Amino acid sequence: MANKSILVTGGAGYIGSHTVLQLLLGGFKTVIVDNLNNSSEIAVKRVKELAGDFGKNLVFHKIDLLDKPALNDLFSSTRFDAVIHFAGLKAVGESVHKPLLYYSNNIIGTVNLLEIMAKHGCKKLVFSSSATVYGWPKEVPCTEEFPLSATNPYGRTKLFIEEICRDIYCSDNEWKIILLRYFNPVGAHPSGYIGEDPRGIPNNLMPFVQQVAVGRRPALTVFGNDYSTKDGTGVRDYLHVVDLADGHIAALNKLSDLNIGCEVYNIGTGKGTSVLEMVSAFEKASGKKIPLIMAGRRAGDAEVIFASTDKAKRELKWSAKYGIDEMCRDQWNWASKNPHGYESSDSN
Ligand code: NAD
Ligand code: UFG
């Protein structure tokens, strides 16, 4: 697929920006569409710089997926070999309060994209699904065959979009679709030049920890220390964002196979790490003490979840290279160089 032209929706965001960099370095021509709802164009500028000579192969368009005519114009002017579809809203708590916003943005946005892709004969897609589709799994590791369930509107958008993808493949076997179920992406590019920069109060563990470390928040609230886990705190499968980005290149390569159909892969490390283990690894990497406040469980949280990675290893030839020490090292490198994210940067 190298030298092919790839559309990346949501490419200015956290996972998207890291993936776009790997695409450029792999020789792909890359076009980003993003409405910048949860991201900054500075990320795009930095990706271009990090890509060196390959940076010239990156084009950015500020387009909202709900603006179907704008998407259609883009596909009329540019031929894409495949689309990697990251664009979506992802805050679980917000989705509970604003379900229609999530259904509209995530589902209608995706349906618009798929319609325009079909109209222009571009039928190769990699979609960002999530381990959230396993709900509260009865056992671990989660294999791709586990029953699916959603515990909130955000999760339901992922479930519905997975089903939509299966339906369009059934209706038209020319489609080749890979659904990647990510576990918990953390860390940043080792340069410390791009990373996660959430708007408002972070929902996720590591962005919160990072803001405590740089003095933006006084303490981390630990949601539950009475789970049946090694230290009582929740266990997750944390995954370096650069490994995740590489998983997308592996998925794109897989799309060249004949008869791939609509396939799903877990993208995780297969290892479970508790909240306290993660905090301790971050303290070691940063030399900063993270004050903790022990609190009750967060509604909707699973106790333990981690991936079976066999299928991705076998069929995508992909597995994670980095462990939690590297994740925390790179998270801290990014945080210490950009304590207020992109907007405070001198090199805007
Ligand atoms: P992010 O918010 O950093 O990136 C998403 C990007 O999509 C943002 O740049 C945002 O501006 C853009 N966007 C949103 N709605 C849009 C629209 N209608 N039109 C155009 N652009 C739009 O999030 P991320 O962490 O990079 O996540 C990327 C994808 O991966 C999302 O679909 C998310 O649900 C999924 N995912 C993320 C995680 C995680 O923990 N980060 C886990 C599993 C799955
Ligand atoms: N946690 C805290 N304090 C915080 C934030 C999180 O103790 O301030 C704990 C949680 O209770 C959980 C663990 O840290 O035990 C990880 O929580 P995250 O919010 O970082 O991650 P989740 O696994 O709950 O959810 C994330 C995304 C979902 C996605 C899922 C699987 O938010 O959208 O990973 O990919 F679906």
Side-chain angles (χ1 to χ4, degrees):
M1 292 281 283
N3 278 320
K4 298 278 170 76
S5 173
I6 311 297
L7 175 65
V8 182
T9 75
Y14 172 47
I15 306 169
S17 56
H18 289 80
T19 303
V20 167
L21 177 58
Q22 300 306 92
L23 285 170
L24 292 170
L25 296 175
F28 292 91
K29 292 197 169 64
T30 309
V31 175
I32 294 176
V33 300
D34 198 303
N35 64 4
L36 301 179
N37 157 301
N38 194 38
S39 50
S40 163
E41 207 173 333
I42 299 166
V44 178
K45 183 177 155 257
R46 292 194 181 180
V47 165
K48 233 182 213 293
E49 284 168 20
L50 283 170
D53 286 349
F54 293 108
K56 64 179 184 310
N57 291 332
L58 176 60
V59 176
F60 172 74
H61 295 281
K62 185 167 186 248
I63 292 178
D64 193 310
L65 293 188
L66 298 181
D67 184 351
K68 209 168 158 189
L71 264 187
N72 188 50
D73 287 349
L74 176 64
F75 274 80
S76 301
S77 63
T78 315
R79 196 193 56 79
F80 296 110
D81 294 286
V83 176
I84 305 182
H85 177 32
F86 292 105
L89 297 172
K90 62 165 186 175
V92 172
E94 183 185 53
S95 80
V96 174
H97 298 291
K98 298 178 182 170
L100 292 178
L101 175 68
Y102 275 67
Y103 292 133
S104 161
N105 189 77
N106 293 6
I107 297 185
I108 298 177
T110 301
V111 170
N112 284 348
L113 174 69
L114 294 171
E115 282 181 353
I116 298 294
M117 286 175 69
K119 180 176 165 192
H120 293 270
C122 172
K123 296 184 183 173
K124 292 195 180 112
L125 176 75
V126 179
F127 171 64
S128 306
S129 188
S130 165
T132 194
V133 299
Y134 295 119
W136 296 294
K138 288 205 179 70
E139 53 179 327
V140 279
C142 299
T143 70
E144 287 84 350
E145 291 74 36
F146 270 26
L148 304 182
S149 71
T151 58
N152 55 70
Y154 163 72
R156 260 181 286 284
T157 69
K158 294 297 180 193
L159 269 186
F160 291 159
I161 295 168
E162 285 203 4
E163 295 297 351
I164 290 168
C165 288
R166 289 185 193 98
D167 287 341
I168 58 169
Y169 171 68
C170 284
S171 74
D172 174 357
N173 288 180
E174 283 181 9
W175 279 90
K176 294 181 174 191
I177 302 176
I178 291 186
L179 310 170
L180 296 180
R181 292 184 185 147
Y182 315 152
F183 281 67
N184 291 62
V186 299
H189 189 264
S191 63
Y193 211 44
I194 54 172
E196 186 168 17
D197 181 21
R199 302 253 159 104
I201 302 172
N203 299 294
N204 298 117
L205 179 66
M206 292 315 284
F208 204 103
V209 166
Q210 153 187 329
Q211 293 195 1
V212 175
V214 298
R216 287 172 65 181
R217 306 197 181 271
L220 170 74
T221 304
V222 177
F223 298 136
N225 61 355
D226 60 348
Y227 287 111
S228 308
T229 58
K230 38 197 151 186
D231 56 24
T233 63
V235 168
R236 296 289 184 275
D237 186 337
Y238 297 95
L239 155 84
H240 198 297
V241 66
V242 174
D243 273 332
L244 175 55
D246 286 338
H248 290 79
I249 312 294
L252 271 186
N253 290 333
K254 184 73 182 171
L255 285 178
S256 325
D257 282 9
L258 288 174
N259 304 325
I260 164 100
C262 180
E263 272 298 335
V264 54
Y265 296 95
N266 286 338
I267 299 288
T269 64
K271 296 189 184 76
T273 304
S274 74
V275 173
L276 295 183
E277 285 172 333
M278 220 43 202
V279 169
S280 147
F282 187 87
E283 288 183 333
K284 196 173 104 200
S286 64
K288 299 276 177 188
K289 185 84 198 135
I290 305 296
L292 302 179
I293 298 168
M294 293 300 172
R297 297 179 179 193
R298 183 170 64 176
D301 267 0
E303 177 168 274
V304 177
I305 174 161
F306 56 89
S308 161
T309 55
D310 295 348
K311 189 177 176 192
K313 268 187 205 139
R314 200 174 55 242
E315 295 183 16
L316 297 181
K317 318 281 180 241
W318 173 91
S319 59
K321 294 190 203 74
Y322 300 111
I324 60 169
D325 291 336
E326 287 107 340
M327 296 175 212
C328 291
R329 175 199 68 198
D330 294 337
Q331 183 104 27
W332 173 241
N333 187 35
W334 154 253
S336 54
K337 288 181 175 155
N338 305 271
H340 293 276
Y342 288 112
E343 299 303 336
S344 62
S345 147
D346 292 337
S347 59
N348 286 2

